[in-house]
Amino acid sequence: MIFDKKCLCIVGSTASGKSATALAAAKRFCGEIISVDSMQVYRGMDIGTAKPTAKEQSEVRHHMIDVCSPFDMFSAADFAPAALECAKNIVSNGKLPIFCGGTGLYLDCVLRGGAPAETAADENVRRELLEFAEKEGAHALHERLREVDSESADAIHENNVKRVARALEIYIASGKKKSDWDRESLDVPNVIDTYTVCLAYHNRDILYQRIDRRVDEMLENGLVDETKRLLLAGVFEKNSTAAGAIGYKEIIPAIRGEISLDEATELLKIATRRYAKRQMTWFNAKEYVNKLYCDSEDGEMRSFDEIFAELCDMWMSNK
């Protein structure tokens, strides 16, 4: 372990209530928050990434927000050492590091002390692979992956072109199959001691309603104007990670007049629900995750005070 203090992690799907819960926990336990979100690292991408407000950031110090330009690529390999350094500094100041976010891969890399070697990127290779897929088709790219890593090909649907290209990029850049890297990464011990709480829902419809409200609030707060600004600046052309961010890629067609804003809004709500489902699938598979349900077993939403009181009990019993 790189330091003795146990850290608190609050994770879950988008719109589950992580940020408010982490903020309250930081106030209660004299903590500082380390954002674990692959998009909140980018300056100027505020509304679409649901960053904590200026008021929230003034109440409790936040880290790993606005740490890089939206024109630059930023990966788990960049995130992990920077987040660990934040945690060490927080501990040295006598405070509690509270990791909060929904990007499971980034959290795993932090807990293991850094990103696995396979996360090293080769943007030129990636660009060539995506151009090949655009020209020859998704099936042809998938067959290339099958030739070198049949296990990854079986696990990744051919229509998921970005993941297929990523698996091929890993093999070309490192000479090792993605499936081999995945197996080896499971054996890497954690370098920091944590207690991880995942905000979950028995009734998924409650979460989906929260997602729909968040999307509506983003639009009311200026998501279209923010997307226009980033689009005109060329951010989405220069940074493929930003271009794929949910919240922007669904709005761009409306800005270009290809679909109506109402259609874009519905696409954004659907994409966010699907992303939330993938996030919960990720966290459900992790043995270190302890669930805290925000609704009762009969599907009624619990009050924030009740949820937070249970979080405090869980933390005090396990810190």
Side-chain angles (χ1 to χ4, degrees):
M1 299 293 173
I2 59 176
F3 49 75
D4 294 334
K5 193 178 188 70
K6 180 173 276 192
C7 304
L8 175 61
C9 301
I10 300 174
V11 301
S13 63
T14 185
S16 61
K18 302 181 300 295
S19 295
T21 306
L23 190 70
K27 293 176 180 178
R28 173 71 65 87
F29 300 115
C30 192
E32 295 184 8
I33 296 171
I34 302 172
S35 169
V36 187
D37 187 295
S38 61
M39 293 297 146
Q40 290 184 359
V41 297
Y42 293 115
R43 292 187 290 273
M45 296 175 64
D46 304 327
I47 300 170
T49 65
K51 278 181 190 169
T53 64
K55 181 178 183 297
E56 289 168 338
Q57 293 190 52
S58 69
E59 293 173 357
V60 169
R61 187 174 181 186
H62 288 64
H63 303 263
M64 297 311 296
I65 291 176
D66 294 337
V67 296
C68 74
S69 164
F71 296 102
D72 298 331
M73 298 291 289
F74 196 88
S75 69
D78 303 304
F79 181 89
L84 284 168
E85 188 64 26
C86 290
K88 286 192 282 187
N89 291 337
I90 293 169
V91 170
S92 68
N93 290 328
K95 294 189 175 183
L96 171 67
I98 301 176
F99 292 91
C100 174
T103 306
L105 173 63
Y106 279 34
L107 179 61
D108 274 5
C109 290
V110 170
L111 298 185
R112 293 171 181 162
E118 58 95 355
T119 57
D122 189 322
E123 293 184 33
N124 291 328
V125 170
R126 184 186 313 146
R127 188 179 303 110
E128 291 173 4
L129 291 169
L130 293 175
E131 289 174 355
F132 174 85
E134 187 173 348
K135 182 179 179 181
E136 303 294 336
H139 179 73
L141 184 71
H142 196 258
E143 287 301 303
R144 285 182 60 179
L145 175 61
R146 187 170 297 283
E147 290 175 3
V148 298
D149 187 355
S150 60
E151 191 174 342
S152 290
D154 288 339
I156 305 172
H157 193 282
E158 67 177 44
N159 290 340
N160 196 334
V161 174
K162 286 187 177 179
R163 285 193 63 201
V164 173
R166 179 66 182 129
L168 270 167
E169 178 190 353
I170 288 167
Y171 178 78
I172 294 169
S174 69
K176 183 183 289 189
K177 300 175 185 177
K178 179 183 182 301
S179 53
D180 290 338
W181 281 116
D182 289 343
R183 272 190 295 275
E184 291 177 11
S185 69
L186 295 175
D187 298 327
V188 178
N190 288 354
V191 300
I192 56 175
D193 190 12
T194 60
Y195 183 74
T196 302
V197 177
C198 178
L199 301 186
Y201 288 80
H202 292 104
N203 183 356
R204 193 168 288 171
D205 286 341
I206 294 178
L207 177 62
Y208 290 168
Q209 290 167 12
R210 291 173 63 91
I211 287 171
D212 289 351
R213 285 197 299 272
R214 170 172 286 185
V215 170
D216 291 337
E217 288 170 2
M218 286 178 170
L219 289 164
E220 291 171 5
N221 292 335
L223 177 59
V224 174
D225 288 340
E226 180 173 278
T227 306
K228 281 181 183 177
R229 174 175 53 76
L230 295 167
L231 184 63
L232 290 172
V235 167
F236 302 125
E237 292 179 7
K238 296 180 181 179
N239 187 337
S240 60
T241 301
I246 295 173
Y248 299 108
K249 63 185 178 70
E250 294 81 12
I251 298 298
I252 290 173
I255 293 173
R256 291 174 172 162
E258 298 166 0
I259 60 175
S260 70
L261 182 57
D262 286 344
E263 290 173 310
T265 300
E266 186 57 30
L267 289 174
L268 175 50
K269 289 178 178 178
I270 292 170
T272 308
R273 291 181 210 131
R274 289 174 176 168
Y275 177 55
K277 186 176 180 181
R278 292 196 299 273
Q279 288 174 298
M280 289 311 301
T281 298
W282 175 283
F283 290 121
N284 285 340
K286 302 299 178 182
E287 293 183 359
Y288 60 75
V289 167
N290 303 276
K291 286 186 180 180
L292 194 173
Y293 282 99
C294 298
D295 60 341
S296 60
E297 291 187 14
D298 57 4
E300 293 296 322
M301 188 68 189
R302 302 167 68 194
S303 71
F304 180 81
D305 289 345
E306 187 179 354
I307 295 167
F308 184 63
E310 183 172 347
L311 171 77
C312 292
D313 288 342
M314 294 170 74
W315 171 243
M316 294 303 292
S317 300
N318 291 278
K319 70 174 185 176

